[in-house]
Amino acid sequence: MDKSNETKEIILRTALEMIKQEGFEKITIRKIAVRSNTNVSLVNYYFGTKDKLISEVIRIMLSGFQDSFDVLDDLSLPPERRLKLFLLHYVRGVEQYPEMLSRIIMMGAGLFASQQEYGEFMRSIGFDKVKNLLRELTNEQDQELLMMMVMQIFGAVFMPALMRPVLEAGAGVEMKPVERQIDLLLERYLFNH
């Protein structure tokens, strides 16, 4: 990696860590420059604005979620296994950045370009991949019901991951390992025809 790309990567990693720790609102270009041992001019050169830098950080984070969908195409695995691996991979990404993802969700309509791109990916590819797998597993053909199933599965698996800090610390709920949660969901609700 050349020095230019290395510097850009350092700035991105620093911004990601700072956003995870402090949130979008509290970081500044100046703080990022100090922590990344660069300067404001370099950060502005690579990214132009704080919003563009944040959008690039979000893009990197969300690309990991897009990679989760690749397992759904692996037809060498039984459909139950593909669904479980997809959910495990996706929720592990959620667990890496729960506070950051919560902030992104709470932003609602105030989207960064990278969030819009991810939304487009989900509309054009992601949801269809999950719906196709659910169709394969359940023989359900109704698109509306399949989409509701997708939302129910996402909610059942991802909401506890996002809420883990609040549930454990605030509500005293002992969270079971994510793999056990997914197994229970699949056993009780999807594979118990």
Side-chain angles (χ1 to χ4, degrees), residues 72 79 82-83 128-137:
L72 298 175
R82 282 184 278 152
L83 181 58
D128 283 340
K129 285 186 174 194
V130 180
K131 287 191 308 187
N132 288 338
L133 181 61
L134 291 173
R135 182 182 303 110
E136 185 180 347
L137 286 165

Side-chain angles (χ1 to χ4, degrees), residues 57-69:
V57 168
I58 293 171
R59 177 179 288 111
I60 290 166
M61 183 189 69
L62 293 177
S63 71
F65 292 116
Q66 286 179 334
D67 293 344
S68 300
F69 288 85

Side-chain angles (χ1 to χ4, degrees), residues 93-182:
V94 170
E95 289 177 330
Q96 281 185 344
Y97 311 106
E99 293 86 7
M100 192 166 148
L101 287 169
S102 293
R103 283 190 175 98
I104 291 169
I105 291 167
M106 297 305 285
M107 290 172 69
L111 298 176
F112 288 101
S114 53
Q115 291 168 274
Q116 292 170 339
E117 290 169 17
Y118 187 72
E120 181 56 35
F121 165 78
M122 291 299 289
R123 277 189 299 280
S124 64
I125 299 169
F127 288 137
D128 283 340
K129 285 186 174 194
V130 180
K131 287 191 308 187
N132 288 338
L133 181 61
L134 291 173
R135 182 182 303 110
E136 185 180 347
L137 286 165
T138 66
N139 294 316
E140 179 59 60
Q141 299 302 313
D142 184 305
Q143 289 296 309
E144 195 172 293
L145 289 177
L146 286 166
M147 191 62 190
M148 284 193 292
M149 292 168 70
V150 169
M151 291 299 107
Q152 289 172 343
I153 289 171
F154 276 32
V157 174
F158 307 132
M159 187 55 74
L162 283 172
M163 298 289 297
R164 176 177 237 123
V166 171
L167 292 172
E168 288 183 336
V173 174
E174 180 187 342
M175 298 293 290
K176 299 299 180 198
V178 69
E179 189 163 0
R180 179 64 191 120
Q181 293 178 47
I182 290 170

Side-chain angles (χ1 to χ4, degrees), residues 43-111:
V43 176
N44 285 326
Y45 170 77
Y46 287 118
F47 301 100
T49 66
K50 175 183 162 182
D51 282 352
K52 287 180 183 175
L53 172 58
I54 289 172
S55 188
E56 187 63 27
V57 168
I58 293 171
R59 177 179 288 111
I60 290 166
M61 183 189 69
L62 293 177
S63 71
F65 292 116
Q66 286 179 334
D67 293 344
S68 300
F69 288 85
D70 292 344
V71 73
L72 298 175
D73 297 326
D74 185 353
L75 299 179
S76 70
L77 298 173
E80 296 85 0
R81 183 77 181 137
R82 282 184 278 152
L83 181 58
K84 180 177 179 177
L85 289 173
F86 162 71
L87 293 171
L88 278 170
H89 189 272
Y90 205 98
V91 82
R92 294 239 161 83
V94 170
E95 289 177 330
Q96 281 185 344
Y97 311 106
E99 293 86 7
M100 192 166 148
L101 287 169
S102 293
R103 283 190 175 98
I104 291 169
I105 291 167
M106 297 305 285
M107 290 172 69
L111 298 176

